[in-house]
Amino acid sequence: MHLKAPEHQVAGHIAKDGKPGPLVDDKGRFFKPLQGDSRGEIEVKFYESFSSNTEIPDHIRRYFPVYHGTQAVEGSDGAAMIVLENLLSKYSKPSVMDVKMGSRTWYPEASEEYIRKCLRKDARSTTVSSGFRISGFEVYDHKELSFWKPDRKLLNGIKVDGVRLALRKFVSSNTLSDTSSKPDAAFASSVYGGSNGVLTQLLELKTWFENQTFYHFNSCSILIIYENESIHDDDARAQVKLVDFAHVHDGNGVIDHNFLGGLCSFINFVRDILQSSDESTENN
Amino acid sequence: MHLKAPEHQVAGHIAKDGKPGPLVDDKGRFFKPLQGDSRGEIEVKFYESFSSNTEIPDHIRRYFPVYHGTQAVEGSDGAAMIVLENLLSKYSKPSVMDVKMGSRTWYPEASEEYIRKCLRKDARSTTVSSGFRISGFEVYDHKELSFWKPDRKLLNGIKVDGVRLALRKFVSSNTLSDTSSKPDAAFASSVYGGSNGVLTQLLELKTWFENQTFYHFNSCSILIIYENESIHDDDARAQVKLVDFAHVHDGNGVIDHNFLGGLCSFINFVRDILQSSDESTENN
C-alpha cells in the first residue's frame, strides 16, 4: 500500500514533533491518525454510531465522509488510523475551505482549563461574533495557475469583514495575492448558487439540524470543496462535507442549537455574496 | 395617575433595597424603571430605534411591547421610567412564562467579570445545554382556583428534564403543587398548537430571525401568556412577546445566531409536547 501526505490539507492536524500526520492512498482513502487522550476514541465512536444509525436519511449521509473502519498503518510506527473516504481524490484542481462551526467550541463537561483556552480563541476569532470561523482555505489562482493559501496566523485574526472578504476570494478569478484589486467573485453563482451549489446543500443540512437530536457536533467543521478545472464549463462540482468529530457528544433529545445557529449565520454570509454578485451582473 | 405593582411579574427586576420596581396603571400601561449603569440607556435606545425602524414588518412588530416613551414618575422619587404596553392588562387569569433566550447571555464587549458571572449562571442552568432557560413562570391552577408559582431558586437548578416538565406543567389542568401526579398537558393543543398558538408564533419569529441583522438580542426573554378563563371554550389567547432589551447590540450585518439557535431549540421542546399530547389523545 503506497501512502503519502495529502496535497490540499487546509486545517487540522499535520505531521509534527514525530507524530504522524494524515495520509492518503491511491484508492481514494484518507487515513487520519487517532488523536491522543479521548479525542480519537470519541471520533471512532461517532463514526461507528453514525455509519450504523438507520435514522440518518441518505440525502444527509452524503454530507459525511464514508467510514471504512480503523487500521494499523505500517510506516507510521503502526499507529492506529481512522480510514475514511478521501474527499479530494476525484478533484484535479480543488479549492478547499474549512469552516469551524458554532459560536462556542467548548462544551460544559470539559475541564475548566480547556474551556478557558477555547473561550479565548473563540472571542479573538469570529466564532462568538458570527457563529463560525474560517480555519483555513486554499484556492486555485486562475491567473497564477497555482494554489494560494493564506497564512494561518493571518486568518486567526480576521473579523467579520475579513470573513466576507475570504468568502469572496474563495470564489474569485482574479489574482489573489494582489490585495489592491477587489475579488471579482466570478464563480459565486457556479459555486455558491444553483440547485447543486453550496447554498442549496447548506439549506438541506439546516433542515436536518432543525430536527436531529442524536449528536451535538462540538468543534466540528464544514469543508467546502469545488473543482477549478471544469468551472469555466459551469461545472463547479461543489461539495459540502462535515469533518472532525473528536468532540461530538450525545444530543440527549436536544437539537444542536450551537451548530445550527452558526450554520444559519454562515448561510446568510453566503447568500449575501450571491445577492451582491447578482446585482453586479445586472449592472453590467 | 393611579399606579400599582403588577400582579403577575414572573421574572426580572422587582422593588428591592429602596429601588423602585415596575408599576402599572389602569389604562393598560406598564412602567419599567430605567436600570442603572448603561442598561437603562441601552433599553431606551433600542425601543427608540425599533419603534422608528420602518423595515420591521407589522407581523413582527406585534411580538414586541408597544413603546410610549419615557416618563418621570411621581411617587417613585421622580425616577425615569420606560412606558410600555402592559401585556397582561386584558387578561383576567393569565398564565405567564419567562424564557431567557440564547446559549450565552454575555457578549464579547462586556467586562471579564461580567462574562465570568454570566458564564457560571449559563452553565449551571440549561442556557448552555439547551440554548435557553426558564427564568420564571406562574400558572393558574384549575383545581385550586389560584395561581401557582415555583420558587425561583428551584427553577435555577433545573436541567433539561426539568424544562420538559415545566413546559408540560405550564399547560396542565391538574393540581400543580402535587408532584406525584403527571401533568396532563390538557391545554397543550389550545396553547401551544393551532394557527394562533405559541408554536405558530415562534415559527414566524424564527423566519424573521433567520434574516434580520439589525439587532442582537443578548440576554433577552420570550414571554408566553395565555388566558385561563376562556380556555375551556378553546380560546387560549396565547401570546408570544419579546421583552428585556438592556443588552441589545447592533447586529453589524450578522444575524443573531445566538438567539436563533435557542429559539430553534425551544421550538423543538414545544413541538415535542404537542406531539406527545397528540399521541396520548390517539391512545385514549
Side-chain angles (χ1 to χ4, degrees), chain A:
Chain A
M1 184 166 60
H2 179 67
L3 294 171
K4 56 176 188 174
E7 261 174 282
H8 304 285
Q9 178 91 0
V10 295
H13 300 266
I14 51 167
K16 204 171 64 179
D17 306 332
K19 283 183 199 161
L23 297 166
V24 292
D25 69 7
D26 52 8
K27 294 188 183 69
R29 295 189 302 175
F30 182 88
F31 296 78
K32 180 175 180 173
L34 260 87
Q35 289 174 261
D37 46 68
S38 61
R39 290 176 298 169
E41 211 175 297
I42 291 175
E43 187 150 31
V44 171
K45 210 184 102 197
F46 167 75
Y47 274 115
E48 294 284 347
S49 158
F50 187 83
S51 60
S52 62
N53 187 338
T54 54
E55 295 191 61
I56 309 294
D58 285 345
H59 71 275
I60 292 303
R61 201 173 285 285
R62 71 184 177 107
Y63 294 116
F64 291 77
V66 176
Y67 172 63
H68 298 295
T70 59
Q71 197 176 309
V73 172
E74 276 174 77
S76 281
D77 298 336
M81 289 189 156
I82 304 177
V83 189
L84 301 166
E85 165 193 13
N86 178 359
L87 300 171
L88 296 176
S89 66
K90 285 174 185 154
Y91 285 79
S92 145
K93 291 190 176 68
S95 287
V96 184
M97 180 178 273
D98 181 299
V99 187
K100 199 185 268 274
M101 302 304 294
S103 68
R104 89 182 130 70
T105 57
W106 53 277
Y107 41 92
E109 301 78 17
S111 72
E112 248 187 72
E113 194 197 327
Y114 180 82
I115 292 178
R116 214 175 305 126
K117 197 183 118 190
C118 288
L119 256 173
R120 255 201 305 271
K121 236 175 158 174
D122 291 353
R124 253 204 318 263
S125 70
T126 61
T127 288
V128 174
S129 63
S130 304
F132 66 88
R133 67 172 174 255
I134 297 178
S135 298
F137 68 97
E138 183 176 279
V139 50
Y140 184 72
D141 187 320
H142 287 256
K143 293 286 178 292
E144 308 278 342
L145 306 180
S146 62
F147 290 94
W148 182 79
K149 191 174 176 174
D151 190 79
R152 210 194 276 206
K153 272 182 198 146
L154 208 88
L155 264 182
N156 281 344
I158 66 170
K159 302 294 170 200
V160 177
D161 286 338
V163 168
R164 289 205 181 92
L165 189 64
L167 286 169
R168 284 186 69 89
K169 278 199 172 192
F170 186 63
V171 292
S172 286
S173 73
N174 46 349
T175 308
L176 295 156
S177 45
D178 175 9
T179 50
S180 62
S181 66
K182 200 193 165 196
D184 59 13
F187 307 134
S189 64
S190 358
V191 176
Y192 294 150
S195 60
N196 297 316
V198 168
L199 184 59
T200 303
Q201 295 181 48
L202 293 174
L203 288 170
E204 193 167 39
L205 265 176
K206 171 175 170 264
T207 303
W208 184 63
F209 269 95
E210 283 172 345
N211 293 290
Q212 79 85 13
T213 60
F214 297 116
Y215 310 108
H216 281 195
F217 293 92
N218 302 302
S219 210
C220 166
S221 284
I222 278 182
L223 218 59
I224 296 176
I225 309 162
Y226 73 86
E227 176 61 60
N228 286 277
E229 203 155 67
S230 50
I231 201 156
H232 292 293
D233 311 325
D234 209 22
D235 185 14
R237 295 170 53 206
Q239 268 198 77
V240 168
K241 294 276 182 182
L242 269 72
V243 294
D244 294 340
F245 307 110
H247 301 281
V248 171
H249 283 199
D250 197 306
N252 285 319
V254 178
I255 64 164
D256 189 352
H257 50 87
N258 178 55
F259 189 103
L260 176 59
L263 181 58
C264 291
S265 175
F266 186 62
I267 283 171
N268 259 50
F269 276 79
V270 171
R271 195 183 272 141
D272 278 352
I273 293 174
L274 270 172
Q275 279 168 355
S276 66
S277 78
D278 279 359
E279 281 159 25
S280 64
T281 315
E282 279 165 26
N283 293 340
N284 279 349

Side-chain angles (χ1 to χ4, degrees), chain B residues 9-13 32 35 43 46-47 63-65 87 96-102 104-105 127 131-137 152 202 205 208-209 216-225 239-248 256 258-259 262-263 266:
Chain B
Q9 178 89 1
V10 295
H13 300 266
K32 180 175 180 174
Q35 290 174 260
E43 186 150 32
F46 167 74
Y47 273 115
Y63 294 116
F64 292 76
L87 300 172
V96 184
M97 181 178 271
D98 182 300
V99 187
K100 199 185 268 274
M101 302 303 296
R104 89 183 128 71
T105 57
T127 288
F132 66 88
R133 66 173 175 255
I134 298 179
S135 299
F137 69 98
R152 209 195 277 206
L202 293 173
L205 266 176
W208 185 62
F209 269 95
H216 281 192
F217 293 92
N218 303 302
S219 209
C220 166
S221 284
I222 279 183
L223 218 59
I224 296 175
I225 308 162
Q239 269 198 77
V240 168
K241 294 276 182 181
L242 268 71
V243 295
D244 295 341
F245 308 110
H247 301 281
V248 171
D256 188 353
N258 178 54
F259 188 104
L263 181 58
F266 186 61

Side-chain angles (χ1 to χ4, degrees), chain B residues 24-262:
Chain B
V24 293
D25 68 8
D26 51 10
K27 293 188 183 68
R29 295 190 301 177
F30 181 89
F31 296 78
K32 180 175 180 174
L34 260 87
Q35 290 174 260
D37 47 66
S38 61
R39 290 175 297 169
E41 212 176 297
I42 291 175
E43 186 150 32
V44 170
K45 210 184 103 200
F46 167 74
Y47 273 115
E48 294 284 347
S49 158
F50 188 82
S51 59
S52 62
N53 187 337
T54 54
E55 295 191 61
I56 309 295
D58 285 344
H59 72 273
I60 293 304
R61 201 173 285 284
R62 71 185 178 107
Y63 294 116
F64 292 76
V66 176
Y67 172 63
H68 298 295
T70 59
Q71 195 175 310
V73 172
E74 279 175 73
S76 280
D77 298 335
M81 289 189 154
I82 304 179
V83 188
L84 300 167
E85 166 193 13
N86 178 1
L87 300 172
L88 295 176
S89 66
K90 285 173 186 155
Y91 285 80
S92 146
K93 291 190 176 70
S95 287
V96 184
M97 181 178 271
D98 182 300
V99 187
K100 199 185 268 274
M101 302 303 296
S103 67
R104 89 183 128 71
T105 57
W106 54 276
Y107 40 94
E109 301 79 14
S111 72
E112 247 187 73
E113 195 198 327
Y114 179 82
I115 292 178
R116 212 174 307 126
K117 197 183 116 190
C118 288
L119 255 173
R120 255 200 305 271
K121 235 174 157 174
D122 292 353
R124 253 205 318 261
S125 70
T126 60
T127 288
V128 174
S129 63
S130 303
F132 66 88
R133 66 173 175 255
I134 298 179
S135 299
F137 69 98
E138 182 176 282
V139 52
Y140 184 72
D141 188 319
H142 287 258
K143 293 284 178 293
E144 307 278 342
L145 306 180
S146 63
F147 290 94
W148 183 79
K149 192 173 174 174
D151 190 78
R152 209 195 277 206
K153 272 183 198 143
L154 209 88
L155 264 181
N156 282 344
I158 65 171
K159 301 293 170 203
V160 177
D161 286 338
V163 168
R164 287 204 182 94
L165 189 64
L167 285 169
R168 283 187 70 88
K169 278 198 171 195
F170 187 62
V171 292
S172 286
S173 72
N174 46 350
T175 306
L176 297 155
S177 45
D178 175 10
T179 52
S180 62
S181 67
K182 200 193 166 198
D184 60 12
F187 307 134
S189 63
S190 359
V191 176
Y192 293 150
S195 60
N196 297 315
V198 168
L199 184 59
T200 304
Q201 296 181 48
L202 293 173
L203 289 170
E204 193 167 38
L205 266 176
K206 170 176 170 262
T207 304
W208 185 62
F209 269 95
E210 282 171 348
N211 292 289
Q212 78 85 15
T213 60
F214 297 115
Y215 311 108
H216 281 192
F217 293 92
N218 303 302
S219 209
C220 166
S221 284
I222 279 183
L223 218 59
I224 296 175
I225 308 162
Y226 73 87
E227 175 62 59
N228 286 277
E229 203 156 67
S230 51
I231 202 155
H232 293 293
D233 311 324
D234 210 22
D235 185 14
R237 295 170 55 205
Q239 269 198 77
V240 168
K241 294 276 182 181
L242 268 71
V243 295
D244 295 341
F245 308 110
H247 301 281
V248 171
H249 284 199
D250 197 306
N252 286 319
V254 179
I255 65 164
D256 188 353
H257 49 86
N258 178 54
F259 188 104
L260 177 59

